[in-house]
Amino acid sequence: MREDKIGRANVEDSEELLQYYKELEELNTGALWNVANAIEPWEPKSSSVPMLWRYNDLRDHVVRSIDLVTPEKAGRRVVYLANPGKQEIGAAVGWLYTGIQAMKPGESTSAHRHAASALRFIMEGSGAYTIVDGHEVKLEPKDFVLTPNGTWHEHGVSEDGETCLWQDGLDIPLVNILEANFYEVHPDISQARSFPVNDSPATFGGPGLRPVNEPWNKAYSPLFRYSWASTYEALVNYSKVAEASPYDGFLMEFMNPLTGGPVMSTMGAQMQLLRPGEHTKSHRQVGSFVYQVAKGKGYSVIGGKRFDWQERDIFVVPTWMYHEHVNLSDSDDACLFAFNDLPTMRSLGLYREEAFGDNDGYQPLV
């Protein structure tokens, strides 16, 4: 790929050069100038495309899987969301995977662990629970849940519960591209519950409080469940006393309560509140985002295209793509949950952000 720009590769082919390239190829080598412009783009160019998956279109198919496969046979009964530009690696956007898992009352998965980090966002049902390294936590709709890399974890629904659906989010594609993935099944299939139920949120979930005599030396958050009730209350309270960001409305990041950093080393998560009628200005970031609508109805403009959403819909924003959000209600707020790879980008020194400079900050629709 030639470019007629000073400092970029612009080599014209000749018979002598073509023969030279063949000789290099036989040695499993190549001329950098033939690929330099492609592998060093002027700015990030994602092969992912913006997508929206409507929950009303997916739900019946996800629930139907309950009658088709068992957790024992499937390992995890999940319908995953595949971006057309990333189908070969099973990613929803960038190097992030997501899917919707279904479990009925009385079911549980086998305990397992892997090098990939994982998170959950509960969509519907009652009686769901997760066990992480012996810590059992009870889950409710719109709770945000961690199962960090390297931890033994399993999920289930109590006998007296209801069919539960939740969104899974993992960095499987990232860990695979780094050729660093491992997967293990627990030798006892199910792990022992070694701590009181809900001990993690009871110990580490107090706002602004850190238990003095509870040592923790892991790289991930010790708080495995972030409840919707406390998250939404925090956002509402924040919106009453602060000015909204023109690009994000009122945005809060889920954090490790002991460090103030991200919940896991490779993936972060956030919740934002859009006031009635709010239309954020457009910006772009180096980092991929998977959104789920936690509350309300509206639309987002991503890369110049409009995507209308309502509660439980899932949509994605590829890296370095302009995006803005609109709350269509004139009387109620809307909330968007998202997980992302920003901790990876920041730790590698790659993060960058840029506002849309034209049209008063709003993208024209393509």
Side-chain angles (χ1 to χ4, degrees), residues 22-43:
K22 286 182 181 179
E23 293 171 7
L24 290 179
E25 189 176 349
E26 291 173 1
L27 298 171
N28 292 312
T29 61
L32 174 61
W33 58 84
N34 280 339
V35 298
N37 295 342
I39 67 175
E40 295 179 310
W42 291 99
E43 62 183 25

Side-chain angles (χ1 to χ4, degrees), residues 99-177:
I100 301 176
Q101 185 165 175
M103 299 195 75
K104 66 183 181 180
E107 287 187 328
S108 61
T109 64
S110 58
H112 58 279
R113 64 182 177 183
H114 37 69
S117 299
L119 53 85
R120 328 283 162 189
F121 191 78
I122 312 304
M123 302 178 83
E124 64 171 271
S126 65
Y129 63 86
T130 285
I131 307 173
V132 183
D133 277 348
H135 300 268
E136 180 179 353
V137 290
K138 302 293 187 182
L139 310 175
E140 297 180 1
K142 303 182 185 179
D143 285 353
F144 166 55
V145 189
L146 299 184
T147 50
N149 70 312
T151 61
W152 292 113
H153 57 280
E154 59 192 279
H155 321 291
V157 179
S158 61
E159 291 278 1
D160 58 352
E162 303 170 339
T163 295
C164 291
L165 280 73
W166 58 78
Q167 180 183 8
D168 293 333
L170 296 96
D171 59 0
I172 290 174
L174 172 65
V175 178
N176 283 344
I177 202 69

Side-chain angles (χ1 to χ4, degrees), residues 60-96:
D60 288 348
H61 293 285
V62 177
V63 172
R64 186 181 170 207
S65 70
I66 293 175
D67 298 323
L68 297 175
V69 295
T70 65
E72 291 78 14
K73 290 286 187 180
R76 288 160 291 179
R77 190 196 287 121
V78 180
V79 173
Y80 72 93
L81 311 185
N83 194 290
K86 292 285 189 177
Q87 286 185 336
E88 74 282 359
I89 60 169
V93 65
W95 303 103
L96 298 175

Side-chain angles (χ1 to χ4, degrees), residues 16-319:
E16 186 178 9
L17 271 174
L18 291 174
Q19 179 58 39
Y20 174 64
Y21 298 151
K22 286 182 181 179
E23 293 171 7
L24 290 179
E25 189 176 349
E26 291 173 1
L27 298 171
N28 292 312
T29 61
L32 174 61
W33 58 84
N34 280 339
V35 298
N37 295 342
I39 67 175
E40 295 179 310
W42 291 99
E43 62 183 25
K45 292 183 179 180
S46 179
S47 58
S48 303
V49 297
M51 289 283 295
L52 182 142
W53 292 269
R54 301 186 190 284
Y55 188 67
N56 288 342
D57 294 338
L58 295 177
R59 187 185 184 281
D60 288 348
H61 293 285
V62 177
V63 172
R64 186 181 170 207
S65 70
I66 293 175
D67 298 323
L68 297 175
V69 295
T70 65
E72 291 78 14
K73 290 286 187 180
R76 288 160 291 179
R77 190 196 287 121
V78 180
V79 173
Y80 72 93
L81 311 185
N83 194 290
K86 292 285 189 177
Q87 286 185 336
E88 74 282 359
I89 60 169
V93 65
W95 303 103
L96 298 175
Y97 160 98
T98 196
I100 301 176
Q101 185 165 175
M103 299 195 75
K104 66 183 181 180
E107 287 187 328
S108 61
T109 64
S110 58
H112 58 279
R113 64 182 177 183
H114 37 69
S117 299
L119 53 85
R120 328 283 162 189
F121 191 78
I122 312 304
M123 302 178 83
E124 64 171 271
S126 65
Y129 63 86
T130 285
I131 307 173
V132 183
D133 277 348
H135 300 268
E136 180 179 353
V137 290
K138 302 293 187 182
L139 310 175
E140 297 180 1
K142 303 182 185 179
D143 285 353
F144 166 55
V145 189
L146 299 184
T147 50
N149 70 312
T151 61
W152 292 113
H153 57 280
E154 59 192 279
H155 321 291
V157 179
S158 61
E159 291 278 1
D160 58 352
E162 303 170 339
T163 295
C164 291
L165 280 73
W166 58 78
Q167 180 183 8
D168 293 333
L170 296 96
D171 59 0
I172 290 174
L174 172 65
V175 178
N176 283 344
I177 202 69
L178 293 173
E179 299 179 348
N181 218 347
F182 293 89
Y183 189 98
E184 298 175 73
V185 176
H186 197 284
D188 298 325
I189 306 301
S190 182
Q191 62 182 303
R193 293 164 170 83
S194 306
F195 305 89
V197 174
N198 287 332
D199 76 302
S200 169
T203 303
F204 297 102
L209 296 168
R210 174 175 180 165
V212 174
N213 297 315
E214 293 291 337
W216 187 264
N217 58 5
K218 310 288 177 58
Y220 50 81
S221 170
L223 183 57
F224 297 138
R225 185 198 75 201
Y226 296 74
S227 77
W228 162 249
S230 59
T231 300
Y232 181 62
E233 180 184 17
L235 278 167
V236 170
N237 290 339
Y238 179 37
S239 70
K240 291 177 180 177
V241 299
E243 289 189 14
S245 160
Y247 306 103
D248 295 307
F250 292 95
L251 177 67
M252 284 189 159
E253 180 183 8
F254 293 100
M255 70 170 189
N256 181 329
L258 299 185
T259 67
V263 291
M264 293 183 288
S265 300
T266 55
M267 292 195 298
Q270 62 188 46
M271 187 79 76
Q272 67 191 110
L273 180 147
L274 305 173
R275 295 164 297 181
E278 185 161 17
H279 185 167
T280 67
K281 292 189 175 186
S282 188
H283 67 149
R284 59 183 179 179
Q285 299 156 280
V286 173
S288 301
F289 290 78
V290 180
Y291 285 87
Q292 186 186 140
V293 183
K295 183 177 184 287
K297 184 176 182 179
Y299 69 89
S300 297
V301 181
I302 309 168
K305 297 181 181 180
R306 172 170 168 162
F307 295 85
D308 287 83
W309 42 255
Q310 60 185 6
E311 193 167 317
R312 300 191 183 102
D313 288 350
I314 296 170
F315 63 94
V316 296
V317 176
T319 188

